[in-house]
Amino acid sequence: MIKYTEMLKKLLFVILVSMLIACSSNQNAKVNSSNKIEALLKQMTIEEKAGQLNLIPLEGKISEEKLQMIRDGKVGNVLKSNGAQLNAMLQKIAVDESRLGIPILFQEDVIHGYKTIAPIPLAEAASWDLKLIQNSAAIAAREAAAAGIHLTYAPMVDVSRNPRWGRILEAAGEDPYLGSKVAEARVKGFQESNENANQNILACVKHFVGYGASIDGRDYTIADFSERELREIYLPPFQAAIDAGVASLMCAYSAYDGVPLTASRFLLHDVLRNEMGFEGLIMTDWSTIKNLLVIGMAENDTVATKMAIDAGIDMDMTAECYVNYIPYLVQKGLISEKQVDDAVRQVLKLKEKVGLFDDPYAYFNAEREAAELFSEANYKATKEIALKSMVLLKNEDDVLPLKTKKQTIAVIGPLAKAQKDLLGWWACMGDENQVVSIYDAISKKVGDNTTIKYAKGCDIDGFKVAGKDKIKQAVQVAQSADVVLMVLGEEYWMSGEGGGTASLHLPSAQEELLQAVAKTGKPIVTIIVSGRPYVLTDVAKNSNALLEAWMPGSTGGEAVADILFGDFNPCGKLPVTFPYHEGQVPIFYNYRKTSHGFDAGDNDNRYSATYRDIQNEPLYPFGYGLSYTHYTYGDIELSANSIVKGEKLIAKMKVTNTGKVKGSEIVQLYIHDVICSVSRPVIELKDFTILELEPGETKEAIFEITSDKLEFIDRNFKKTTEPGEFKLFIGESSANLKETTFSLK
Ligand code: BGC
């Protein structure tokens, strides 16, 4: 009898606990989602739920089969379908002809502009101007939102230290701090910076995580790095995007510690959800659920689907695994319906966020589309970003800016008349015919007293050396000119996705062409159009001035011309190191100290961490960039020589414009922890500010040092600070800094 009562008690306890769990999970769901969403969920069949998790590409191919899938409630999301009219038509089918009428969420790669194309993200990062970067994303959002897009696959925040990796152009470069600031600005720009809600779009931060760590520069290849690097280098920009409220996140193609991100419960659940606090939607990259079969992790689609949903993937981009296999997996009890419901809630939450349940057609306004796309205002604002993103790398004897006098200018090079190549790889709906080439922009700018001559110099035929026979004619053109403008670089498709290269020398015969032209002895200004840092060592030697114009977007040709003629004083600084030699790659400024030092000293000490054949230093360091004026830096003034945790220290630096034109200087602050329980980088960027200075003017750069700037990740991978001495540096680049010390008590 006693035994029976105890058993009953135990049973009751188990039932009670199960009820509590069930109750709490229901409550959780309610906290995160609205009544509307919960009501919808209750009505949905498992097939319709799986349909909401399905993201299909249209890419202009709208077959009857796809339309039927929409009618059947099997398509919750569409990518690569553009235009207010087209998307409204598809939306109408979803709303009027599917059983529950749930609207479609339209998604697109609006990476750096929709129709008015801004400079590539790497270039924008070179402006270090967060307001401008935010505005650029806001313009992109306005244009995309007017053309029927609700969500963009941006910002990409992959830190990369390898310019061979073609996708380096899509993010903010090599530094986690600058990368975090840019990530925050771009998320805000896309999601909340426009006045009206339906002018903003949802952002999707990508590619979680470590995709930029490709060991050899090839795309989709191995990224293998330590947990310390994961946490110190690759996660911070994602955290910044999350803190800025990013709505969704895309997983990388790559793997971490042998597990592809699509199947990594450790990274998606333990790290991203639990540690980093991400509450938005997690999607795969293109077909990565099916990739689990290709790389030998799953024997069939069903297993791969289970792996992905167990890892925490909410939305399936293009593999059509979720839509096809989720109903079966639930029916067999291999995954729970709760897992599916949670993922569906994520999708419906996004739809609710952009107001699709109030008005499914709010983003499809053909009139607004016509007025917004490539508007004069968008063009003007985008040009400002292009101007501020270009980096002057060399300016011997102030050869720039060019004088407007009676002269002959030779414009030479395979990129001089380029239009599409100025837009870059992710040009979305950008129209090359609307791009003014560098040659045309220069011709437009000069007066009647200037003669412009042109020679292509060589061809770019893939990576083959082509059109060398054109060099001779280019030399003749150069000989007849007072000054030569060389426009060199790469074509739009050479970097971007799948754009890995082994060589970092300018493709084709461009270096040979430059060398031949340089022999004329004429002053040479070289403009580089590229999506990545090239090894410009010989290019710099053969040029009197060198301007990195990147892939500058729709307004880039005019921006280059403005800079060449001094209508704008260049102010960009490198967000990524330019190597001296490609053997130095991966190369980055925030390397750790080594036991043997990086300097061989006067006695050429063999036992130092130096190359025996070339210099250690890059050609141009992180944070470097010249101006048409000059700045002098004072000494660092500290408000105290120590701080206590929780308090702050003020660091000040006087900067004077000693030149003849006004300019804008990016003042950078770096820190080094002198003694620490794990080895620390020699310097780490921790803050920066931009000073606008009239000729002769002095201003103070003022920085607040709070103890979070002194944090590091300890041996247990926890963020912490340790008391002791710190070095503080302020200056114009990572390689030109004033220094002082303080301590943390
Ligand atoms: C890329 C993503 C992109 C997606 C959709 C993938 O191949 O890696 O960055 O957003 O395609 O176009």
Side-chain angles (χ1 to χ4, degrees):
M1 186 63 192
I2 293 170
K3 261 193 183 161
Y4 179 71
T5 335
E6 268 183 4
M7 260 175 62
L8 200 67
K9 265 193 194 159
K10 266 189 190 161
L11 195 68
L12 276 173
F13 180 72
V14 170
I15 292 173
L16 199 68
V17 170
S18 322
M19 276 171 63
L20 274 175
I21 291 174
C23 234
S24 77
S25 66
N26 258 341
Q27 264 172 4
N28 267 345
K30 280 205 179 113
V31 170
N32 292 328
S33 90
S34 66
N35 294 341
K36 167 92 196 168
I37 291 175
E38 293 308 310
L40 260 178
L41 260 175
K42 281 202 187 100
Q43 297 174 58
M44 293 166 86
T45 62
I46 189 67
E47 285 76 18
E48 285 165 336
K49 288 177 183 174
Q52 282 306 304
L53 309 180
N54 190 24
L55 166 58
I56 64 161
L58 284 186
E59 302 183 278
K61 291 172 238 138
I62 306 174
S63 60
E64 183 48 40
E65 187 201 343
K66 294 255 166 81
L67 295 180
Q68 193 53 44
M69 279 176 77
I70 298 176
R71 288 186 193 105
D72 293 343
K74 290 187 169 172
V75 177
N77 316 274
V78 163
L79 76 147
K80 304 222 175 287
S81 175
N82 293 282
Q85 229 180 336
L86 171 65
N87 288 0
M89 183 274 282
L90 295 167
Q91 192 71 306
K92 197 161 164 39
I93 295 176
V95 172
D96 293 350
E97 299 180 41
S98 73
R99 193 179 74 91
L100 293 172
I102 303 176
I104 296 171
L105 189 75
F106 288 93
Q107 313 179 13
E108 179 57 286
D109 285 293
V110 186
I111 307 294
H112 52 110
Y114 181 79
K115 189 82 178 177
T116 313
I117 303 303
I120 52 168
L122 184 63
E124 283 197 352
S127 75
W128 299 51
D129 190 327
L130 303 173
K131 268 201 200 132
L132 221 64
I133 292 171
Q134 181 168 336
N135 191 37
S136 174
I139 294 169
R142 255 188 346 255
E143 291 197 354
I149 303 299
H150 302 118
L151 180 148
T152 174
Y153 304 132
M156 171 170 140
V157 303
D158 295 310
V159 170
S160 181
R161 298 163 153 189
N162 191 342
R164 286 200 187 110
W165 190 57
R167 298 199 80 169
I168 197 167
L169 70 78
E170 287 174 55
E174 72 188 44
D175 184 61
Y177 180 81
L178 180 59
S180 298
K181 291 288 170 196
V182 172
E184 180 191 344
R186 299 198 73 209
V187 168
K188 289 186 175 161
F190 288 127
Q191 295 195 158
E192 62 185 59
S193 295
N194 291 304
E195 218 172 292
N196 299 323
N198 64 13
Q199 291 178 318
N200 295 316
I201 57 178
L202 303 167
C204 174
V205 65
K206 67 189 188 183
H207 306 82
F208 191 76
V209 56
Y211 182 39
S214 156
I215 53 169
D216 50 13
R218 286 177 296 172
D219 218 344
Y220 324 117
T221 182
I222 301 141
D224 207 353
F225 48 91
S226 67
E227 184 164 349
R228 174 156 308 282
E229 241 176 54
L230 168 77
R231 292 175 183 282
E232 284 183 1
I233 306 296
Y234 299 111
L235 287 182
F238 283 95
Q239 187 68 64
I242 293 168
D243 295 345
V246 73
S248 64
L249 171 143
M250 188 191 297
C251 288
Y253 284 119
S254 55
Y256 173 70
D257 201 16
V259 183
L261 264 297
T262 308
S264 177
R265 189 160 171 84
F266 166 63
L267 278 168
L268 299 187
H269 181 265
D270 302 357
V271 175
L272 181 63
R273 292 271 190 230
N274 287 355
E275 281 184 40
M276 299 174 77
F278 180 58
E279 291 179 353
L281 175 138
I282 304 176
M283 66 173 81
T284 68
D285 201 340
W286 197 283
S287 202
T288 59
I289 301 182
K290 275 202 184 290
N291 290 356
L292 295 174
L293 274 69
V294 184
I295 58 180
M297 290 230 356
E299 55 270 40
N300 57 42
D301 288 345
T302 328
V303 174
T305 305
K306 178 172 161 48
M307 262 185 200
I309 198 152
D310 283 346
I313 296 281
D314 299 315
M315 189 186 281
D316 168 6
M317 184 196 286
T318 75
E320 295 194 22
C321 281
Y322 271 22
V323 70
N324 288 327
Y325 306 106
I326 276 183
Y328 168 83
L329 287 168
V330 171
Q331 194 198 347
K332 291 283 170 205
L334 294 167
I335 60 171
S336 70
E337 190 148 357
K338 164 141 190 346
Q339 283 176 281
V340 182
D341 286 355
D342 282 346
V344 175
R345 279 189 187 96
Q346 290 288 358
V347 178
L348 299 181
K349 259 164 54 186
L350 294 191
K351 295 188 176 185
E352 193 169 56
K353 251 190 196 159
V354 286
L356 284 179
F357 296 133
D358 301 326
D359 177 3
Y361 303 103
Y363 281 66
F364 316 129
N365 180 332
E367 247 173 60
R368 195 173 104 199
E369 184 182 28
E372 189 66 64
L373 268 47
F374 213 73
S375 71
E376 231 179 282
N378 292 352
Y379 190 89
K380 204 170 148 220
T382 303
K383 186 169 164 199
E384 194 188 342
I385 303 160
L387 286 164
K388 291 194 168 171
S389 69
M390 294 183 187
V391 186
L392 182 66
L393 298 172
K394 181 175 178 182
N395 195 16
E396 199 175 65
D397 303 327
D398 291 339
V399 63
L400 284 178
L402 299 173
K403 323 287 170 292
T404 36
K405 56 175 188 189
K406 189 169 161 39
Q407 60 185 330
T408 299
I409 299 177
V411 182
I412 298 174
L415 273 304
K417 292 194 173 180
Q419 291 173 286
K420 197 175 169 80
D421 303 313
L422 300 192
L423 295 180
W425 173 252
W426 290 107
C428 205
M429 302 305 283
D431 179 355
E432 63 190 274
N433 297 314
Q434 291 174 319
V435 177
V436 182
S437 71
I438 293 175
Y439 171 84
D440 283 340
I442 290 166
S443 307
K444 232 168 69 183
K445 190 166 273 289
V446 296
D448 293 342
N449 60 352
T450 300
T451 308
I452 304 280
K453 292 189 172 176
Y454 166 76
K456 193 169 186 194
C458 69
D459 296 319
I460 297 182
D461 177 11
F463 287 97
K464 284 192 292 237
V465 175
K468 264 169 97 166
D469 50 316
K470 298 189 167 86
I471 293 179
K472 217 165 134 194
Q473 192 234 340
V475 170
Q476 279 166 7
V477 168
Q479 260 154 354
S480 70
D482 299 298
V483 59
V484 183
L485 306 183
M486 300 293 298
V487 189
L488 309 178
E490 61 180 347
E491 290 183 340
Y492 78 95
W493 58 274
M494 289 176 156
S495 38
E497 185 166 354
T501 56
S503 168
L504 286 176
H505 282 272
L506 295 178
S508 193
Q510 297 185 85
E511 290 189 19
E512 204 176 314
L513 163 69
L514 175 61
Q515 201 176 16
V517 172
K519 284 198 183 128
T520 62
K522 301 286 176 176
I524 294 179
V525 176
T526 301
I527 298 117
I528 302 289
V529 173
S530 76
R532 52 156 63 94
Y534 269 95
V535 169
L536 299 175
T537 309
D538 289 339
V539 174
K541 267 184 212 146
N542 287 321
S543 309
N544 303 83
L546 185 57
L547 179 73
E548 176 62 58
W550 311 105
M551 287 175 170
S554 308
T555 67
E558 294 188 341
V560 166
D562 280 4
I563 288 182
L564 294 180
F565 288 93
D567 297 329
F568 185 83
N569 183 3
C571 57
K573 299 215 180 192
L574 297 177
V576 62
T577 305
F578 272 48
Y580 172 84
H581 186 285
E582 60 209 359
Q584 294 173 319
V585 172
I587 185 166
F588 45 92
Y589 83 93
N590 48 350
Y591 49 82
R592 287 174 211 283
K593 286 201 273 193
T594 81
S595 55
H596 285 51
F598 297 103
D599 186 2
D602 291 341
N603 300 328
D604 191 22
N605 175 15
R606 181 181 187 91
Y607 302 103
S608 58
T610 51
Y611 292 113
R612 302 254 67 86
D613 53 347
I614 58 159
Q615 64 186 49
N616 264 8
E617 293 74 30
L619 181 66
Y620 299 116
F622 174 83
Y624 170 85
L626 302 173
S627 154
Y628 292 156
T629 187
H630 299 278
Y631 304 101
T632 54
Y633 279 66
D635 291 317
I636 302 172
E637 280 176 44
L638 284 187
S639 57
N641 48 23
S642 66
I643 63 168
V644 178
K645 214 174 162 180
E647 290 181 0
K648 59 186 179 213
L649 193 69
I650 306 294
K652 292 182 181 172
M653 165 65 84
K654 285 200 175 88
V655 183
T656 306
N657 179 349
T658 52
K660 293 197 179 72
V661 287
K662 73 170 184 195
S664 153
E665 170 73 340
I666 303 163
V667 184
Q668 302 155 43
L669 180 140
Y670 298 81
I671 282 179
H672 170 65
D673 187 349
V674 179
I675 304 289
C676 183
S677 52
V678 295
S679 99
R680 304 296 306 135
V682 286
I683 51 169
E684 287 174 283
L685 182 73
K686 290 290 178 183
D687 210 347
F688 58 87
T689 186
I690 303 178
L691 297 180
E692 307 283 341
L693 292 161
E694 294 294 330
E697 193 183 11
T698 299
K699 274 189 187 161
E700 225 166 21
I702 303 174
F703 300 99
E704 265 188 13
I705 321 286
T706 41
S707 48
D708 60 304
K709 293 205 184 297
L710 311 179
E711 278 174 352
F712 73 103
I713 290 166
D714 70 12
R715 294 185 194 194
N716 300 314
F717 300 117
K718 295 274 168 295
K719 259 193 192 159
T720 187
T721 50
E722 280 174 358
E725 192 185 339
F726 286 81
K727 285 190 180 174
L728 185 143
F729 309 83
I730 299 178
E732 59 178 31
S733 82
S734 64
N736 195 357
L737 296 163
K738 296 271 176 94
E739 177 183 335
T740 188
T741 57
F742 68 94
S743 61
L744 174 68
K745 294 259 159 99

